[in-house]
């Protein structure tokens, strides 16, 4: 199952809207086949694992491991439970049940009805964690929300006055590269109006190879200038505003009621199949999601810099889950559903 999780992780950022799944086939104590889901619309992990087995006749005596319950419905590909039954694989070991209503328990039931020995719950906690984006999306009808910011040693995220278009860097270059890696792993990235205007961020993954996230900006009054980097054509940009405006080739304007911004924003992102989003600022935007408990994970850098005076960092009333030193910075992880004070 650990190997299934390693394989599944290879799909991080590229399987949307599908989950990350890995599968391993074992015969006489040795792995004879393995596979992972590489892209939505393409073969699932179980299919790739079965296809990798040279001698298909031994499948009738083998065990297949999967970090998620096999699907039992027809989507863009046939049901994986049917594939397992077809090849008469006698034992199936599953990490966790799929909470998606189209599957939830149906794949397991199909396998058991065919007389297959099914074991569920192996490394269940780890497998559930690997599907946190997929499960959150389907259970809460919204994306998995990651908050990210950097703060100084004395608790500030930016100076009070800042030259337009020149961001104030708190962290080291290695941390910046790590953030770009994170961007390739999530479906979208979001900032508020002030951050877009003052920092003029491109919100792209320039320092890491991978998919470019969809860019999201909140611009209630459409005050942002069109020569900002966020409006270039390197990636799609969604602008949430209360003013009607025609969509262009790479920028889509979405009119919402800012009195109910969070509810309408998350509803639109759900409708667009955006399973995860990183919110990178500014303080007001970050704090609003914290206050409404509309977040799942926070990644906070503390750099070596001090400011003495500036814009204070967001306040998060959750105990940190882990801390690591990353070059000259300290990176702390928080989770909204754990150890809430």
């Amino acid at each position: 199952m650990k190997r299934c999780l390693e394989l599944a992780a290879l799909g991080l950022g590229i399987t949307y809207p599908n989950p990350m799944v890995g599968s391993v086939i074992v015969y006489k104590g040795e792995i004879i086949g393995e596979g992972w889901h590489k892209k939505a619309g393409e073969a699932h992990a179980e299919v790739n694992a079965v296809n990798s087995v040279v001698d298909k006749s031994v499948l009738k005596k083998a065990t297949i491991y999967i970090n998620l319950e096999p699907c039992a419905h027809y989507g863009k590909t046939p049901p994986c439970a049917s594939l397992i039954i077809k090849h008469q694989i006698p034992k199936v070991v599953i990490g966790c049940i799929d909470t998606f209503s189209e599957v939830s328990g149906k794949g397991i039931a199909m396998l058991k009805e065919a007389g297959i020995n099914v074991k569920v719950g192996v490394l269940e906690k780890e497998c559930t964690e690997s599907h946190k984006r997929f499960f959150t999306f389907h259970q809460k009808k919204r994306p998995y929300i990651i908050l990210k910011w950097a703060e100084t040693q004395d608790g500030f995220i930016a100076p009070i006055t800042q030259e337009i278009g020149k961001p104030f860097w708190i962290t080291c270059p290695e941390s910046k590269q790590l953030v770009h890696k994170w961007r390739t792993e999530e479906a979208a990235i979001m900032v508020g109006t002030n951050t877009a205007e003052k920092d003029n961020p491109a919100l792209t993954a320039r320092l890491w190879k991978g998919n470019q996230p969809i860019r999201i900006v909140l611009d209630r009054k459409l005050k942002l200038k069109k020569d900002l980097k966020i409006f270039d054509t390197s990636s799609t940009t969604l602008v949430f505003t209360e003013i009607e405006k025609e969509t262009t080739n790479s920028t889509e304007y979405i009119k919402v009621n800012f009195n109910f911004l969070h509810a309408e924003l998350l509803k639109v992102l759900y409708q667009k199949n955006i399973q995860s989003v990183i919110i990178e600022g500014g303080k007001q935007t970050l704090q609003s999601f914290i206050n409404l408990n509309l977040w799942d994970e926070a990644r906070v850098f503390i750099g070596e810099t001090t400011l003495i005076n500036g814009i204070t960092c967001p306040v998060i009333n959750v105990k940190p889950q882990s801390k690591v030193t990353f070059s000259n910075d300290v990176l702390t992880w928080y989770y909204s559903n754990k150890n809430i004070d």
Side-chain angles (χ1 to χ4, degrees):
M1 192 58 72
K2 287 183 179 179
R3 179 57 180 161
C4 287
L5 290 169
E6 290 175 354
L7 291 166
L10 296 174
L12 184 58
I14 57 177
T15 65
Y16 294 124
N18 291 352
M20 300 182 297
V21 183
S23 180
V24 171
I25 298 175
V26 175
Y27 175 63
K28 290 186 176 181
E30 292 187 3
I31 293 176
I32 60 169
E34 59 181 33
W36 53 284
H37 182 45
K38 299 179 180 180
K39 187 178 180 181
E42 296 185 1
H44 288 188
E46 299 93 320
V47 176
N48 289 329
V50 167
N51 288 344
S52 72
V53 176
V54 177
D55 183 2
K56 299 292 191 295
S57 66
V58 301
L59 290 172
K60 295 179 181 180
K61 302 176 183 178
T63 300
I64 185 168
Y65 294 78
I66 320 150
N67 67 317
L68 182 68
E69 175 184 3
C71 61
H73 66 294
Y74 280 88
K76 292 183 178 179
T77 58
C80 290
S82 297
L83 176 75
I84 293 170
I85 294 169
K86 174 187 174 183
H87 286 281
Q88 300 177 43
I89 301 174
K91 186 174 181 181
V92 179
V93 180
I94 297 167
C96 61
I97 295 173
D98 192 340
T99 60
F100 180 39
S101 60
E102 291 288 335
V103 180
S104 193
K106 297 174 184 175
I108 293 171
M110 184 182 292
L111 295 171
K112 288 183 175 179
E113 287 172 7
I116 293 172
N117 180 2
V118 180
K119 182 176 178 63
V120 183
V122 175
L123 294 184
E124 185 173 20
K125 181 179 178 181
E126 293 85 346
C127 289
T128 300
E129 172 70 14
S130 74
H131 301 302
K132 59 187 179 184
R133 297 165 180 83
F134 183 74
F135 286 172
T136 297
F137 183 76
H138 288 290
Q139 290 173 2
K140 298 185 177 182
K141 309 300 182 186
R142 65 162 175 81
Y144 185 85
I145 298 173
I146 300 169
L147 310 179
K148 194 249 40 174
W149 72 84
E151 60 185 71
T152 63
Q153 288 284 329
D154 46 358
F156 299 103
I157 62 170
I160 292 177
T161 58
Q162 179 181 334
E163 186 177 350
I164 297 296
K166 290 191 176 181
F168 175 76
W169 289 109
I170 294 173
T171 55
C172 63
E174 291 83 359
S175 294
K176 182 179 180 181
Q177 185 180 46
L178 176 60
V179 170
H180 281 230
K181 177 179 180 291
W182 289 345
R183 290 177 179 179
T184 68
E185 296 171 350
E186 310 305 333
I189 179 172
M190 186 174 81
V191 295
T193 307
N194 290 337
T195 299
E197 183 177 48
K198 292 180 179 179
D199 291 352
N200 191 19
L203 299 185
T204 55
R206 304 176 300 285
L207 303 179
W208 199 268
K209 184 179 179 181
N211 284 355
Q212 295 293 344
I214 293 171
R215 301 177 294 196
I216 302 169
V217 63
L218 308 179
D219 189 8
R220 184 172 188 170
K221 299 297 183 180
L222 291 183
K223 62 179 286 190
L224 295 175
K225 296 179 180 179
K226 297 305 170 283
D227 60 352
L228 292 175
K229 294 175 183 177
I230 200 170
F231 296 119
D232 65 24
T233 58
S234 62
S235 185
T236 300
T237 299
L238 305 180
V239 181
F240 284 83
T241 179
E242 63 180 12
I243 299 173
E244 199 80 45
K245 186 173 175 61
E246 188 176 348
T247 292
T248 65
N249 288 337
S250 60
T251 304
E252 180 180 354
Y253 294 89
I254 302 168
K255 185 179 178 182
V256 294
N257 185 341
F258 269 65
N259 292 325
F260 306 98
L261 172 63
H262 298 79
E264 294 199 15
L265 167 72
L266 297 180
K267 181 180 178 180
V268 170
L269 298 185
Y270 177 76
Q271 291 170 343
K272 288 183 173 293
N273 254 339
I274 294 175
Q275 268 190 24
S276 63
V277 58
I278 302 178
I279 301 176
E280 291 202 9
K283 179 187 176 177
Q284 183 178 341
T285 301
L286 289 162
Q287 194 67 58
S288 70
F289 279 85
I290 293 171
N291 292 346
L292 292 170
N293 198 30
L294 288 174
W295 65 284
D296 300 289
E297 184 178 329
R299 303 170 185 177
V300 181
F301 288 97
I302 300 178
E304 291 186 313
T305 312
T306 57
L307 264 178
I308 301 177
N309 191 20
I311 299 172
T312 56
C313 63
V315 177
I316 192 166
N317 294 317
V318 175
K319 296 177 183 178
Q321 288 298 304
S322 64
K323 285 187 178 182
V324 295
T325 300
F326 195 82
S327 189
N328 298 324
D329 305 325
V330 175
L331 173 58
T332 305
W333 265 272
Y334 300 84
Y335 294 90
S336 67
N337 60 345
K338 300 176 183 177
N339 296 330
I340 297 178
D341 287 336

